[in-house]
C-alpha cells in the first residue's frame, strides 16, 4: 500500500535472493503449522469428537482454510496489538485520561474479575479507543481495484484503476473533525461516532460496507479486557527515551518502539 518496498518485492519475487528464500521458508513453516492444527481437528472430526455443523463439505479446500486461518491470525493479532500499543503511548502522555480510565475500571469492576457485562459498560475506555483508532488507525488505507467504469461526483474512474481509500487522511481532515484534529481528545466521541463525524462515513478504522472488519467487536472486547488488566495493576508514563515516529509497515507502528515506564500500583 503505497510502500515502494512492497512494489519492488512483488516485481522481483521470483528471483532466488536471500530475502525471497527467507520469505519462502517462513511461508512454508507457517503453512506447516496451520496445517498441523487443521489436521488435528480433521482427525477429531473423524473420531466424532467434533460435531459437524454443516451437513455437506463443499466449498473450502484445505488450502483455502489455511489461507483463512493466516488471514484471521494476521488481521486480528497485529491490528489489535497496534491499537493497544498506541493506547498505552497516548495514555502515558495524557495522564488525565489514564486516571479517568482507571477510575472507570474501579467503579465498574471494583475487585471483581472483568466480565462481559462490565466490559460493555466501559464508556470512557470506549471513547479512548475510538480516539486512538482515529489518530493511529492500524490499517492506514484500503486498496481497491475498480472493475467497471465508475463515476464518483465529477471524477470518472476507468475499469482497471487501482485506488487506495486513505483512512489516515480521512481521520485527519480538519474540515470533518475541526481545529483540534491533531489533538488527542476522546471527548469528541462522548455522544457516539455519528455525532463526532456529523453523520458522514469518515471514521473508518474497521473499513465499511460488505468487507467491513469481521472481528471488530471481538477486537474492541479483547482490547478492553487487556487495558482493564493493565490499568488495575500499573500506572505508566512515556519514557524520555521515546521518539514519536508513526511508521507504516503494513500497519501503523511506532518506529522506535513504545518506551514506557510502568509503576506497580
Ligand atoms: C483494532 C483491531 C482491528 C482493526 C483496526 C481491523 C481493521 C480491519 C479493516 C480496515 C478491514 C477491511 C480491509 C479492507 O476493506 O480492505 C478488516 C478486515 C478484516 N478483519 Fe479486521 N481489524 C481488526 C481486528 C480484527 C480481528 C480481531 C479479526 C479476527 C479475529 C479481524 C479479522 C478480519 C478479517 C477476516 C477481515 C476481512 C473481512 C473480509 O474481507 O470479508 N480483524 N479489518
Amino acid at each position: 500500500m503505497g510502500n515502494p518496498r512492497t512494489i519492488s518485492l512483488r516485481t522481483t519475487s521470483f528471483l532466488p535472493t536471500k530475502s525471497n528464500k527467507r520469505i519462502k521458508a517462513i511461508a512454508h513453516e507457517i503453512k506447516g503449522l496451520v496445517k498441523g492444527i487443521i489436521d488435528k481437528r480433521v482427525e477429531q472430526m473423524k473420531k466424532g469428537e467434533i460435531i459437524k455443523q454443516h451437513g455437506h463439505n463443499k466449498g473450502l479446500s484445505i488450502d483455502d482454510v489455511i489461507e483463512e486461518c493466516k488471514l484471521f491470525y494476521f488481521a486480528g493479532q497485529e491490528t489489535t496489538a497496534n491499537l493497544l500499543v498506541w493506547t498505552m503511548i497516548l495514555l502515558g502522555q495524557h495522564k488525565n485520561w489514564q486516571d479517568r480510565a482507571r477510575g472507570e475500571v474501579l467503579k465498574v469492576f471494583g475487585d471483581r474479575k472483568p466480565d462481559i457485562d462490565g466490559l460493555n459498560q466501559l464508556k470512557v475506555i470506549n471513547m479512548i479507543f475510538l480516539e486512538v483508532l482515529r489518530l493511529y488507525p492500524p490499517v492506514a488505507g484500503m486498496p481497491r481495484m475498480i472493475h467497471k467504469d465508475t463515476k464518483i461526483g465529477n471524477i470518472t474512474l476507468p475499469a482497471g484503476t487501482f485506488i487506495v481509500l486513505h483512512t489516515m487522511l480521512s481521520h485527519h481532515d480538519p474540515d470533518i473533525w475541526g481545529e483540534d484534529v491533531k489533538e488527542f481528545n476522546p471527548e469528541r466521541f462522548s455522544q457516539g461516532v455519528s455525532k463526532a463525524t456529523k453523520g458522514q462515513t469518515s471514521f473508518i478504522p474497521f473499513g465499511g460496507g460488505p468487507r467491513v472488519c469481521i472481528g471488530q467487536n471481538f477486537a474492541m472486547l479483547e482490547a478492553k479486557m487487556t487495558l482493564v488488566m493493565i490499568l488495575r495493576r500499573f500506572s505508566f508514563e512515556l519514557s524520555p527515551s521515546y521518539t514519536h515516529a508513526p511508521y507504516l509497515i503494513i500497519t501503523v507502528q511506532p518506529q522506535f518502539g513504545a518506551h514506557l515506564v510502568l509503576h506497580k500500583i
Side-chain angles (χ1 to χ4, degrees):
M1 267 184 286
N3 182 341
R5 265 191 292 170
T6 325
I7 293 160
S8 69
L9 265 179
R10 275 196 199 128
T11 49
T12 58
S13 62
F14 297 108
L15 298 177
T17 59
K18 202 172 158 198
S19 70
N20 280 346
K21 280 188 194 158
R22 198 164 133 69
I23 289 170
K24 237 176 144 175
I26 292 172
H28 187 72
E29 189 186 340
I30 292 175
K31 187 169 174 176
L33 286 170
V34 179
K35 179 89 167 51
I37 298 170
I38 295 170
D39 285 349
K40 225 161 127 189
R41 303 283 284 189
V42 170
E43 203 51 42
Q44 285 174 332
M45 279 171 77
K46 280 190 192 144
K47 283 192 206 146
E49 286 169 28
I50 293 176
I51 302 157
K52 262 195 201 169
Q53 304 236 327
H54 306 288
H56 41 98
N57 217 354
K58 286 185 207 141
L60 296 178
S61 67
I62 291 292
D63 272 350
D64 290 338
V65 176
I66 291 173
E67 289 307 309
E68 288 292 308
C69 290
K70 278 169 29 186
L71 173 65
F72 259 73
Y73 179 76
F74 178 72
Q77 201 271 344
E78 191 70 21
T79 46
T80 314
N82 264 258
L83 166 61
L84 279 163
V85 164
W86 287 114
T87 303
M88 294 291 286
I89 292 173
L90 285 160
L91 291 186
Q93 250 170 346
H94 301 269
K95 292 294 285 282
N96 53 336
W97 281 100
Q98 187 185 139
D99 292 344
R100 268 184 79 175
R102 187 173 296 102
E104 181 176 57
V105 169
L106 296 177
K107 194 167 143 224
V108 171
F109 294 112
D111 289 335
R112 221 171 74 230
K113 250 170 107 177
D115 52 39
I116 185 103
D117 286 343
L119 291 174
N120 284 328
Q121 285 170 39
L122 299 173
K123 198 165 177 263
V124 174
I125 290 185
N126 199 52
M127 280 155 54
I128 290 172
F129 279 147
L130 294 177
E131 182 67 341
V132 176
L133 287 169
R134 182 186 72 81
L135 283 170
Y136 302 104
V139 180
M142 288 165 276
R144 290 291 185 271
M145 178 73 82
I146 305 288
H147 286 291
K148 54 177 187 195
D149 293 359
T150 304
K151 213 167 177 306
I152 302 175
N154 51 9
I155 306 172
T156 306
L157 299 166
T161 311
F162 180 79
I163 60 163
V164 176
L165 299 165
H166 213 298
T167 311
M168 196 63 125
L169 287 182
S170 172
H171 287 189
H172 289 248
D173 184 344
D175 290 343
I176 296 164
W177 301 94
E179 283 301 295
D180 67 347
V181 67
K182 288 193 165 57
E183 275 157 42
F184 175 70
N185 177 18
E187 204 64 60
R188 72 176 90 242
F189 287 106
S190 60
Q191 306 296 315
V193 171
S194 52
K195 199 74 181 233
T197 53
K198 301 178 193 100
Q200 300 180 68
T201 321
S202 39
F203 181 68
I204 44 169
F206 294 103
R211 313 295 312 209
V212 72
C213 175
I214 203 164
Q216 60 175 311
N217 292 337
F218 176 77
M220 291 297 267
L221 207 62
E222 192 182 26
K224 277 182 194 166
M225 173 76 96
T226 315
L227 190 63
V228 164
M229 289 164 84
I230 295 172
L231 286 168
R232 268 182 162 178
R233 290 175 177 78
F234 303 100
S235 73
F236 49 90
E237 72 229 6
L238 265 190
S239 156
S241 64
Y242 172 75
T243 309
H244 191 64
Y247 178 59
L248 183 66
I249 170 152
I250 305 184
T251 53
V252 178
Q253 305 174 22
Q255 186 176 0
F256 305 108
H259 299 195
L260 293 155
V261 182
L262 276 78
H263 308 275
K264 207 162 182 344
I265 301 179

